[in-house]
Amino acid sequence: MTNKLIRQKITDLNVCVIIPTYNNQRTLKRVLNGVLELTNNIIVVNDGSTDTTSTILKEYQQLQQIHFPKNKGKGLALKEGFKLAVSLGYQFAITIDSDGQHFPIDIPNFINELELNNSKDMLIIGSRNMEQEGVPGKSSFGNKFSNFWFWVETGIKLKDTQSGFRLYPLNVIKNLKFYTTKFEFEIEVIVKTAWKDVEVKNIPIQVLYDETERVSHFRPFKDFTRISILNTWLVFLTLIYYLPRRFLRNIKKKGLKKFFVEDLLGSNDSPKKKALSIALGTFIGFSPLWGFHTFLVLTLAIFLKLNKAISFAFSNVSLPPFIPFIIFASLELGQWVLGENISYSIEDLMDNFEAIEHLKTYLVGSFTLAIIGAIVFGFIGYIFFSLSNRKKMTLKND
């Protein structure tokens, strides 16, 4: 495909290229000239460079430029670039690093992917081959770390979540609120974009790590700490809001019956995995850890690699109408285990029962009920799903 054709496609699709730069005097001109072969829709953000970057950029007066007097961080540089791109009427922005690790000749890959998807809002991340020779070990580890947490937070599996070579949908980005300003911004932006139900995907790109000319501004301790704090917050939001919301939206979209058949019964998980998911949900639902049920069940389902939908569904055995009966059963079991005899009624539980007075009995009974419930419901679930699988296999053979 000729550069002339790509240039026309970039114009037709309303795409610009944003190049944030900070003290990359050795590679900046090469990156700029490479992008200029494909488009003049370029925004350069000079993030307070102290080398000859400003002098180099004087040779490119035809380009849109933003200059920070002091270094403010890549995240803020990208946000200012996005703002300018939106004000200029662009719908998509490709970001490419100025340190020479990315090849401008890969820009057509992003444009072709966008065109194939009928220019719909999507976020495309260039996937580097992290196994190739010359890739720093810390970069490979950091990428795997980031990929894992992105999957936890969004349910989307990607090969590369840290590459700065990306295509952003500006119509979505402009309406989101971001709170980070450094390298962690590139994680915040893809997670929040995915939460808006925008497709996030990888496409392969080339990468070059030339330590003789490349300048990395990543500070392992400070930036890794920032990223860890951000991921902790995003995981918390995922567990208390976005996963339950996704679960409830799926029920609303499909209807309870269809959701139950497709997502619960129709899951490709084995009967054993489904049964263990039921057991986990039932245990958490009957446990006395009120207020933390959703957080705990989704966290454990993720880390134990169980079915999140099934676990969450069965954790709701403790819906408000059932709570007095659960407490009643817990107290009865607690008395039996501890050999006590307490006088109360269901009315006491619903009106003025003071649980703290019999807290030990309640806690012992509650965990006993949780264990018994998990075993019983898990066993019944295993039998049910095993018979369902056999029935399916029989119908297929017929």
Side-chain angles (χ1 to χ4, degrees):
M1 187 177 298
T2 64
N3 287 355
K4 183 178 179 180
L5 181 57
I6 284 294
R7 183 177 289 270
Q8 187 59 50
K9 286 186 176 184
I10 290 174
T11 300
D12 293 342
L13 294 171
N14 218 1
V15 180
C16 70
V17 178
I18 298 175
I19 306 174
T21 185
Y22 175 59
N23 289 348
N24 288 128
Q25 60 183 7
R26 297 178 183 175
T27 55
L28 180 58
K29 287 189 71 171
R30 186 172 80 230
V31 174
L32 287 171
N33 292 336
V35 177
L36 278 168
E37 290 183 10
L38 302 172
T39 184
N40 282 49
N41 301 349
I42 300 173
I43 298 172
V44 184
V45 185
N46 176 15
D47 187 17
S49 297
T50 56
D51 58 3
T52 61
T53 292
S54 296
T55 303
I56 293 171
L57 290 178
K58 288 179 181 179
E59 302 174 25
Y60 298 89
Q61 294 296 326
Q62 76 276 27
L63 305 182
Q64 295 285 338
Q65 298 184 21
I66 299 173
H67 293 268
F68 293 165
K70 293 183 179 180
N71 179 251
K72 296 183 178 181
K74 187 178 183 182
L76 194 58
L78 287 173
K79 283 192 275 191
E80 290 302 311
F82 292 150
K83 286 181 184 178
L84 179 56
V86 169
S87 70
L88 294 172
Y90 292 111
Q91 290 183 298
F92 299 93
I94 293 175
T95 61
I96 182 171
D97 292 344
S98 64
D99 60 3
Q101 70 166 297
H102 301 146
F103 291 76
I105 57 174
D106 281 333
I107 288 176
N109 298 340
F110 291 87
I111 299 302
N112 292 335
E113 189 68 32
L114 185 61
E115 191 177 41
L116 286 173
N117 287 273
N118 299 314
S119 306
K120 74 173 184 178
D121 286 335
M122 61 191 309
L123 197 158
I124 307 171
I125 304 174
S127 176
R128 303 161 293 176
N129 178 8
M130 303 304 291
E131 305 301 322
Q132 75 178 48
E133 187 178 350
V135 176
K138 62 181 181 180
S139 296
S140 181
F141 170 78
N143 190 52
K144 291 177 180 178
F145 177 86
S146 178
N147 294 347
F148 171 76
W149 286 114
F150 180 73
W151 169 72
V152 170
E153 292 150 6
T154 67
I156 301 171
K157 290 187 177 182
L158 295 179
K159 293 182 179 180
D160 192 344
T161 53
Q162 288 197 315
S163 171
F165 204 173
R166 306 177 176 189
L167 182 143
Y168 290 97
L170 294 175
N171 290 332
V172 177
I173 299 298
K174 69 180 182 181
N175 295 319
L176 296 175
K177 289 185 178 180
F178 302 106
Y179 301 97
T180 55
T181 60
K182 306 294 184 181
F183 284 102
E184 69 274 16
F185 170 79
E186 291 184 299
I187 295 173
E188 183 183 14
V189 69
I190 62 173
V191 171
K192 290 187 174 179
T193 302
W195 283 350
K196 287 294 181 181
D197 298 322
V198 173
E199 181 181 7
V200 181
K201 65 185 301 184
N202 282 139
I203 61 170
I205 59 168
Q206 304 171 75
V207 65
L208 172 67
Y209 285 94
D210 187 345
E211 297 301 328
T212 63
E213 62 177 12
R214 178 174 177 266
V215 178
S216 174
H217 303 291
F218 186 84
R219 301 161 299 178
F221 179 76
K222 286 187 177 181
D223 290 315
F224 189 77
T225 299
R226 286 174 176 270
I227 291 170
S228 297
I229 292 172
L230 173 64
N231 276 318
T232 300
W233 174 242
L234 292 175
V235 168
F236 176 73
L237 290 178
T238 299
L239 294 173
I240 67 168
Y241 179 69
Y242 288 98
L243 272 180
R245 185 192 70 163
R246 192 186 311 158
F247 179 83
L248 295 173
R249 284 171 65 180
N250 283 339
I251 294 178
K252 185 177 180 180
K253 181 179 178 180
K254 297 181 178 181
L256 184 59
K257 182 178 179 181
K258 188 176 181 182
F259 175 82
F260 182 77
V261 171
E262 291 185 359
D263 291 66
L264 299 186
L265 303 185
S267 168
N268 292 324
D269 291 335
S270 67
K272 179 181 177 181
K273 188 171 183 178
K274 290 178 181 178
L276 289 173
S277 301
I278 290 173
L280 172 65
T282 305
F283 179 85
I284 296 299
F286 281 144
S287 74
L289 306 170
W290 305 103
F292 297 95
H293 284 175
T294 298
F295 175 83
L296 287 171
V297 77
L298 293 176
T299 300
L300 291 171
I302 288 170
F303 286 101
L304 295 175
K305 297 182 179 180
L306 298 178
N307 187 300
K308 296 185 288 295
I310 294 177
S311 297
F312 178 75
F314 277 84
S315 70
N316 285 288
V317 293
S318 58
L319 286 171
F322 305 136
I323 290 176
F325 301 99
I326 292 174
I327 295 176
F328 176 80
S330 298
L331 286 168
E332 289 294 309
L333 282 170
Q335 291 180 78
W336 178 73
V337 172
L338 297 174
E340 296 179 347
N341 186 19
I342 301 172
S343 178
Y344 60 88
S345 65
I346 287 290
E347 287 74 18
D348 292 326
L349 299 182
M350 299 182 71
D351 296 332
N352 57 5
F353 181 79
E354 305 217 5
I356 193 66
E357 184 181 345
H358 307 292
L359 183 59
K360 179 181 177 182
T361 305
Y362 166 67
L363 290 177
V364 170
S366 183
F367 280 113
T368 302
L369 177 65
I371 293 170
I372 294 173
I375 293 172
V376 171
F377 279 83
F379 179 74
I380 293 173
Y382 180 77
I383 297 298
F384 176 80
F385 289 122
S386 295
L387 292 175
S388 296
N389 275 12
R390 288 180 186 177
K391 186 176 181 180
K392 287 180 184 178
M393 292 299 295
T394 301
L395 290 173
K396 283 183 180 180
N397 293 333
D398 291 343

